[in-house]
Amino acid sequence: DRGLLYSYAAALAGLTAGDSLVPGRLVSLAAAAAALAVIFQEMRRMASPGVGALAVVLAAASLPFWVSATTARFYAPFLLGYVAVLGGLSRLSLSWTGLAALATAAAFARWTHELAFTLLAVPAVVAVVSPGARRPWIVRSIAVAAGLAAGQFVLLAVHAAAPPSNGDVMVRRFFVW
């Protein structure tokens, strides 16, 4: 289930560019650029435009960032989902709309990588260490957990609907990409 959303996005991009690694790399590059935009927006909101620009420069200057941005793999979409959830945790209101957006971002992150479950630790830890503001962070934890659970449910449904392959497709995809 690793990178299911990425796999479909790359396949759709491949419909226009043919069967090569270029469409997958373009999906990764677009997701990496979007992740940088989210990083800038959130850092600018929390600190200043200068801090936002510095954060983007530091992230973009790292070798792991460019590896994830230029390979036809699911890492850049996962980074985008992860920073979107982190930004949403600090910015979104506790309204139904805000909580639904947070849950949707968590599901998006889950559809890109199984490590999205680590996102649940962030609001849970804040709830523990912030006794005066515990309730809002528990609510955020529930929204993230609901999004992750919904994302997992969709993945299980896709796997149940897929014809049996003994993992052959996943193994072949891993070695080709």
Side-chain angles (χ1 to χ4, degrees), residues 89 91-99 102 135-141 143:
L89 283 170
R91 178 175 37 89
L92 293 173
S93 70
L94 294 180
S95 67
W96 286 109
T97 306
L99 295 173
L102 190 56
R135 184 188 175 284
W137 287 100
I138 290 172
V139 172
R140 287 179 178 100
S141 296

Side-chain angles (χ1 to χ4, degrees), residues 1-7 73-82 105-116 155:
D1 63 340
R2 201 181 266 188
L4 187 70
L5 183 63
Y6 168 79
S7 296
R73 298 294 299 267
F74 50 82
Y75 300 113
F78 176 59
L79 175 64
L80 172 60
Y82 214 93
F108 172 88
R110 177 61 193 101
W111 293 329
T112 58
H113 200 286
E114 66 269 12
L115 286 177
L155 290 173

Side-chain angles (χ1 to χ4, degrees), residues 43-80:
M43 295 308 294
R44 180 189 67 188
R45 184 183 59 78
M46 288 186 227
S48 70
V51 171
L54 178 62
V56 166
V57 167
L58 291 173
S62 73
L63 184 61
F65 176 81
W66 283 106
V67 169
S68 68
T70 58
T71 57
R73 298 294 299 267
F74 50 82
Y75 300 113
F78 176 59
L79 175 64
L80 172 60

